[in-house]
Amino acid sequence: MLALTSVWTTILLAAAVALGPLATDMYLPALPQIGSDFGVGTDKVQLTLSLYLAGFALAQLICGPLSDRFGRKPIMVGGLILFALASIGCAMATSIETLMVCRFLQAVGGSAGPVLGRATIRDIYRPRDAARILAIVASIMALAPAIAPTVGGVLVSGLGWHSIFLVLGAYGLLMALVVAFGIPEPMRPEYRQPLRLCSLMRNYRRIGTDISFVGYTLTNAMVYGGLFAFLSGSSFVLIEFLGVAPEHFGLYFACMVVGYVVGNLAAVRLGRTLMPDQILVRGLVIAVAGGGLMAALALSGLYNVWAVVLPQALFMVGTGLLLPQTMAGALANFPRMAGSASALFGFVQMATAAVAGVLVGYLHDGTSMVMATIIAICACAALASHLLLVQRHPARGFEPQGASAN
């Protein structure tokens, strides 16, 4: 077993958290082909993504409290096994309806990785340290969305979209083995919570009425909604509207990932001298600038690949800066129920992302206009959440530099 604070534990947690991005980003180049194979429109195909997000959101509300009762490891391992089995079901789907059901089950299992990865980091580290570690984890796991669309495009071109889900199933099974035999249980026994409905409702009520939690969670969710608006619409905008080949889609997508990694690395560096909320403000300003620029270019009728990719890359720099801060801020006040807090945080995050994805699918007009507008609106809503809630109720534990021991 690895030490909880070792660099290898951080890397393995990043690999588990990366399950969510892999399950969305790898099959993005396949969306047009899936629609063609099943003879359905854009809205039906994008519903497989939105249902995945909905399942991801709902399942977190269950696996978070379960992990507060039984520990992080058994719930995470069980979820990863379910993810692997559901991925095989996706590969064998013969109708869009079957694919939707299997995607939902895939999300139920896959939710264990991110929600319990966040909770594990909160188990191990103090709030301010958690923000730094989450930024490091995000930098490592950014390898997944960097390579996933390219790998997905190659698999679609060479073996068909079914092969993507077989690869995801193998990854899920591998991660189940790694977590089971490589990472010790991080949760303190005295922090275990009773698994009773009244206790669960009381915990969720306490978490959901904490203004600090609400502020950080809404700020995160709005930005995440903008990110998933891009994920939901990018393959149709870049491949169908702007003529990018599926096997080249991942190369353009990598530009956004580079922006995200730049933001993560900047967050790690700035975390040595600035408070997390100061980093959060910088990220919001950059995200609003990126989303606003993309919307302005679309409104002006400038339609080309770089008018989409470069503003989104700027948006992702801001996202990389602010996401670790909002995650750590939302969990800061709840060391004894980090699983439940992480679950409610993830539920709001994914529910918002699902709504953004559905809107892009149903309002898509064949251009980048709808996607760009929704991204800009989400960025502005995140800024409003910060100004109205976070600034007035910052998280406890985000001490000024020097106020806490190393």
Side-chain angles (χ1 to χ4, degrees):
M1 288 285 181
L2 298 170
L4 283 173
T5 55
S6 76
V7 65
W8 284 108
T9 297
T10 301
I11 292 172
L12 292 178
L13 286 174
V17 174
L19 202 65
L22 276 175
T24 53
D25 299 342
M26 189 178 288
Y27 98 126
L28 291 178
L31 293 180
Q33 188 183 97
I34 291 173
S36 176
D37 284 359
F38 290 136
V40 296
T42 300
D43 56 341
K44 277 278 187 78
V45 177
Q46 286 182 320
L47 196 56
T48 64
L49 178 59
S50 295
L51 278 174
Y52 178 88
L53 297 178
F56 212 92
L58 291 171
Q60 291 185 75
L61 293 177
I62 299 172
C63 73
L66 285 175
S67 75
D68 281 341
R69 174 64 182 89
F70 298 108
R72 314 300 183 206
K73 276 187 61 173
I75 307 304
M76 187 180 290
V77 171
L80 290 168
I81 292 174
L82 175 59
F83 175 90
L85 295 175
S87 296
I88 296 172
C90 289
M92 299 174 63
T94 56
S95 68
I96 193 67
E97 291 78 15
T98 303
L99 181 61
M100 288 178 184
V101 171
C102 290
R103 281 288 284 171
F104 184 86
L105 293 175
Q106 189 187 40
V108 171
S111 67
V115 69
L116 300 184
R118 289 191 298 264
T120 296
I121 290 170
R122 181 61 186 92
D123 290 335
I124 301 170
Y125 299 99
R126 295 171 300 175
R128 183 166 181 171
D129 294 329
R132 180 175 56 84
I133 297 299
L134 283 166
I136 294 172
V137 167
S139 299
I140 298 171
M141 65 174 282
L143 292 172
I147 65 173
T150 301
V151 172
V154 171
L155 289 172
V156 169
S157 299
L159 301 173
W161 62 265
H162 304 82
S163 61
I164 292 175
F165 293 106
L166 294 176
V167 171
L168 287 172
Y171 182 86
L173 184 58
L174 176 63
M175 287 310 306
L177 294 172
V178 167
V179 171
F181 299 105
I183 301 177
E185 173 60 52
M187 186 181 181
R188 298 181 185 179
E190 64 269 24
Y191 280 7
R192 300 207 172 190
Q193 300 287 317
L195 192 63
R196 296 192 296 268
L197 182 59
C198 59
S199 297
L200 295 181
M201 298 305 296
R202 184 169 58 249
N203 288 347
Y204 275 135
R205 184 172 63 250
R206 178 185 168 191
I207 296 166
T209 55
D210 184 285
I211 303 301
S212 176
F213 173 87
V214 173
Y216 287 104
T217 299
L218 287 180
T219 302
N220 178 287
M222 291 300 107
V223 171
Y224 219 71
L227 169 59
F228 269 86
F230 179 80
L231 293 179
S232 182
S234 59
S235 60
F236 295 96
V237 169
L238 293 179
I239 295 174
E240 291 193 343
F241 175 52
L242 297 175
V244 172
E247 59 268 27
H248 296 154
F249 174 80
L251 300 177
Y252 291 105
F253 198 89
C255 294
M256 276 69 79
V257 177
V258 168
Y260 185 62
V261 172
V262 168
N264 289 150
L265 294 178
V268 175
R269 185 175 182 85
L270 291 173
R272 301 189 182 102
T273 56
L274 297 179
M275 293 176 64
D277 284 339
Q278 294 174 311
I279 303 172
L280 174 55
V281 170
R282 286 160 171 76
L284 281 169
V285 170
I286 295 172
V288 169
L293 177 60
M294 188 192 300
L297 292 173
L299 287 169
S300 69
L302 182 59
Y303 294 126
N304 64 60
V305 171
W306 296 112
V308 173
V309 171
L310 293 181
Q312 183 64 19
L314 183 61
F315 177 88
M316 294 303 293
V317 172
T319 301
L321 276 167
L322 69 89
L323 285 190
Q325 321 310 320
T326 55
M327 291 178 193
L331 303 186
N333 295 345
F334 304 102
R336 292 183 176 272
M337 53 182 82
S340 296
S342 179
L344 188 57
F345 173 90
F347 172 79
V348 176
Q349 180 191 66
M350 287 298 171
T352 304
V355 170
V358 169
L359 288 175
V360 170
Y362 278 98
L363 300 178
H364 181 59
D365 63 352
T367 72
S368 61
M369 178 73 72
V370 170
M371 182 183 75
T373 301
I374 291 176
I375 291 172
I377 290 172
C378 286
C380 291
L383 180 60
S385 298
H386 177 270
L387 294 175
L388 295 175
L389 297 172
V390 173
Q391 276 197 345
R392 299 179 183 181
H393 302 274
R396 294 192 299 270
F398 278 10
E399 305 92 344
Q401 182 69 17
S404 60
N406 290 328

